[in-house]
Amino acid sequence: MENDARIFALSADDDAALAACCALLAKRLKAGECPRVLFGGSGLDGGPCSRAFVASDTKEAVEALNASPPKTGKKLKRVFAMPGQGSAGPVPVESLCAELPVFREYIERAQCVLDRHGRLSVNDILSRGKARSSMEEQLFVLIYGAALAMQYRAWGAHPDMMIAHSLGELTALVVCGMASYEEMLGFVCRRALIIDSLAESGAMAHVAADSAEIFRLTAAYGGRISVAAVNSSSSVVVSGELRALSDFERVLDQKAMPHRRLRVPKAAHSAIMEPALAPIVALAFPTLLYGCCPLFSSVTGAPLTAREAEAPEWRRRHCRDTVHFDLALAALSEALGDSDAIVIEFGVHRVLAAGVKALPGGRWYGASSMARYHENRSPEYCFKRGIQETLAALWECHILSEIQSADWYITNKDFLQNIIK
């Protein structure tokens, strides 16, 4: 099993039996065996107590078996988190398309739309991962997020709730069934063309400091910079004119406030966007339907309705106003009530994962990113393992019931057999 990430899954009738299964599997692995699958008394159907993890060598598997699994005594709700700018990165598109049929379908559908809007290549945009324009940035967020989320839905992981950050709300409208994928792609292309036509690009920076203090400091710049996003009480994004932001960064240095410049084509949610607002508001927007689940908006900090999203004022606020992901998280937490959450973030990186602190019982996973860095691994390995880890967690929580044999993804057609080759 060396150097090939695989899913180990165990199931038993009670905690004691499951612990015995873990101990037995660890013993067999240490002895040099590589069992295909180990189940307790409930057999392949899976008992009420389950354990699943990913390992690429014997040492890692034994460590996982000896570790204490995450526990929750509450009902788990499935939450899809759709990030905005900053969630991109180079993607092994060919590898994912070869293994994930629904992902491939959405990539192909996107290419058909882009063929009508110029010579853009979906493969190039996703493979490069570094946007050269607002067009590429916005298309990456929508196409990658929607394609991967719809693959998870096809596997049987349907969201009970969704939460989105800024640009990610457009992706979320598609994933929850409120908007047509093709219509939203067309809208995003037209929207991005308007933003790319702006004369000034500006800049953005993340600041790890008290949000109230950052609001106070930016107010002195007379609108040249402003708070673009409040992710939490201590995580803020500032956006605006390049010179003003550079001066502001020197102020942050003097106050020993950690900050880092963000790689973005345009300074979103700042005064630089003002000339684009009227043209964007005038664009035809996809016809919206009722969604499959509540979508918590970082524009309003509340569940977004089709009527609200179709209103021109929402498109203006979505482009210009401060993103309040903190308020969306608070509303989501309240809606969860007595339930805990298993959150899946659909970007290349887990840029929103700090939000799990606002969900005390939450478990936050990246749809295609690993929990920790593994040295000297190929992109194909990293994305594969990221998906494996999330699917293993979903199976362990009884959200997915089947893991296809001899493959690294889950399907609803073939029953669980021989998880490990």
Side-chain angles (χ1 to χ4, degrees), residues 148-299:
L148 198 54
M150 298 309 285
Q151 178 66 70
Y152 271 78
R153 290 197 63 178
W155 282 327
H158 299 289
D160 296 307
M161 302 174 182
M162 294 186 68
I163 187 169
H165 188 288
S166 185
L167 188 63
E169 292 197 32
L170 302 180
T171 311
L173 288 172
V174 172
V175 175
C176 75
M178 292 178 70
S180 157
Y181 180 54
E182 280 77 9
E183 287 184 12
M184 188 60 78
L185 280 166
F187 171 76
V188 166
C189 285
R190 293 187 291 272
R191 180 183 189 271
L193 278 174
I194 293 170
I195 294 175
D196 277 331
S197 70
L198 296 174
E200 188 171 0
S201 296
M204 301 178 74
H206 176 266
V207 186
D210 178 71
S211 59
E213 176 67 2
I214 300 303
F215 271 106
R216 185 186 70 79
L217 292 173
T218 55
Y221 287 81
R224 294 174 62 206
I225 58 171
S226 57
V227 175
V230 180
N231 299 325
S232 70
S233 59
S234 59
S235 175
V236 183
V237 175
V238 176
S239 179
E241 296 177 14
L242 178 58
R243 287 186 179 181
L245 185 63
S246 297
D247 179 76
F248 182 68
E249 288 171 327
R250 287 190 286 271
V251 173
L252 295 175
D253 289 334
Q254 293 170 3
K255 293 180 176 293
M257 293 181 174
H259 61 89
R260 61 181 175 87
R261 188 70 65 89
L262 303 180
R263 288 184 178 180
V264 294
K266 297 287 183 179
H269 305 286
S270 74
I272 288 175
M273 292 291 111
E274 294 285 350
L277 298 182
I280 288 175
V281 166
L283 291 175
F285 195 68
T287 301
L288 299 184
L289 307 170
Y290 290 105
C292 66
C293 64
L295 164 56
F296 290 86
S297 167
S298 57
V299 174

Side-chain angles (χ1 to χ4, degrees), residues 66-143:
N66 291 330
S68 299
K71 293 289 185 181
T72 178
K74 300 180 181 179
K75 181 179 179 182
L76 278 172
K77 293 285 189 179
R78 301 174 293 273
V79 178
F80 280 13
M82 313 309 296
Q85 290 190 129
S87 60
V91 175
V93 182
E94 293 184 3
S95 172
L96 293 179
C97 284
E99 297 287 354
L100 310 177
V102 176
F103 179 89
R104 180 177 65 250
E105 174 197 341
Y106 274 77
I107 297 300
E108 292 172 349
R109 286 169 60 181
Q111 188 60 62
C112 289
V113 174
L114 297 195
D115 286 343
R116 300 195 293 269
H117 290 267
R119 296 183 177 181
L120 290 170
S121 164
V122 175
N123 198 339
D124 288 348
I125 292 172
L126 298 188
S127 298
R128 186 164 49 247
K130 293 182 180 179
R132 298 176 298 188
S133 63
S134 295
M135 177 72 76
E136 291 190 1
E137 178 83 15
Q138 294 183 32
L139 285 173
F140 187 106
V141 171
L142 174 58
I143 295 171

